[in-house]
Amino acid sequence: MTVQAGARLLEGAPIADEIRAKVALDVAAFARTHGHPPGLAVVVCGRNAPSMVYLERILKACASVGIESRLVHVEGDDPAAQAADLTVALHRLSDDRTVSGIIVQMPLPAGIGLKVVIDAIDPLKDIDGIHPLNAGLLRLGFEGFVPATAHAALEMLERSGAPIVGAEAVVIGRSPVVGMPVAFMLAKGGATVTVCHSRTRDLAAHTRRADIVVVAVGHPGLVTGAMLKPGAVVIDVGINLVDGHIVGDVDFASAREVASAITPVPGGVGPLTGALLLTHLVRAAQRQAAERPELVAET
Ligand code: NAD
């Protein structure tokens, strides 16, 4: 008798469909109460093809659930002038009652610092959790807006059924948008968390004792099956283009033989990220309605 080896696949699309269906109901309810749906503004500095594909996908997802969305381009070649225009655009959107959430496409062009965004974006509209207020709320264990990708990694883990309380968790990557927020959420959830990064001496020594491994690096094949504890749950956040194909940071074939559950790339964390961003937008609209009714008042 042959026994089929291989970890359970944690697929994002079915969960994303379920989340979007719920968002569509929440959007309709919000529009009935306030006379307009929640609105998203996506701010892009310059024009570059790869990020445009991602943004078009977000705008399409908004349309599919009844959210109004707009793309705001900040053009120009001179960083100082572009930074000034970005500030004006973000102030305007922060004051616009039809805009419930704002995301700014990263990375920003050379010469424009994140501080430009931080200084101008309303934290209550910062649905991807880049503002220090939201990062600080997460750090202190309160409910702010967390980056959608980090949220997606956690959501996937929770839905996998893997126990988080008491688990040994290793997060590889310490960026403010993925690694660190994931680590804080796991610690809040009761895991014992180790954060590994580019200066970690012996990565495998850490991953081999982990019940949960979250990888967010941008390095294809970084984590192999030989580096995993049998039965580990593996969340691969990485997105890499190799020979025209999208792959994650985990060597899927070998990891699948050892892990109990694993996210595929593509098709794992990615689809969930976009769907969860929509839930953040609805929550932002609801919070603004509750905390600043004048901002969402019916005209
Ligand atoms: P980043 O470049 O900001 O951070 C990468 C992190 O990896 C750093 O903390 C660095 O110390 C660490 N690192 C680098 N080399 C390492 C090594 N050899 N061993 C251990 N750690 C190492 O990247 P990011 O923005 O956090 O993104 C990480 C990955 O996640 C990228 O592949 C990115 O494309 C992907 N991503 C996916 C989504 C999604 O929706 N699925 C969203 C955002 C980012």
Side-chain angles (χ1 to χ4, degrees), residues 71-212:
L71 207 51
V72 177
H73 283 283
V74 178
E75 305 286 359
D77 297 324
D78 170 39
Q82 217 177 356
D85 289 349
L86 178 59
T87 299
V88 170
L90 288 174
H91 279 307
R92 200 170 285 154
L93 295 167
S94 292
D95 291 339
D96 185 334
R97 67 170 198 86
T98 65
V99 174
S100 327
I102 304 167
I103 53 175
V104 181
Q105 179 63 8
M106 299 290 169
L108 293 166
I112 303 183
L114 187 63
K115 192 166 183 311
V116 174
V117 178
I118 287 168
D119 285 345
I121 195 170
D122 179 347
L124 213 49
K125 296 188 177 186
D126 168 38
I127 59 167
D128 213 11
I130 59 167
H131 194 280
L133 178 71
N134 286 313
L137 287 170
L138 171 66
R139 176 69 187 80
L140 297 174
F142 294 109
E143 294 275 312
F145 290 111
V146 299
T149 306
H151 186 181
L154 249 289
E155 182 82 20
M156 193 59 108
L157 208 45
E158 284 168 358
R159 289 185 182 241
S160 78
I164 294 179
V165 175
E168 288 286 339
V170 166
V171 179
I172 313 176
R174 57 176 164 177
S175 77
V177 281
V178 198
M180 290 314 295
V182 166
F184 287 130
M185 284 189 273
L186 282 169
K188 189 183 178 194
T192 301
V193 184
T194 303
V195 179
C196 298
H197 46 76
S198 53
R199 310 299 289 265
T200 296
R201 277 204 298 267
D202 184 354
L203 187 59
H206 296 284
T207 54
R208 271 194 206 110
R209 52 176 184 70
D211 306 303
I212 294 167

Side-chain angles (χ1 to χ4, degrees), residues 52-74:
M52 287 311 295
V53 172
Y54 169 69
L55 296 177
E56 295 295 343
R57 222 173 279 151
I58 293 180
L59 300 182
K60 227 168 113 188
C62 284
S64 75
V65 295
I67 289 171
E68 274 177 6
S69 61
R70 72 180 83 159
L71 207 51
V72 177
H73 283 283
V74 178

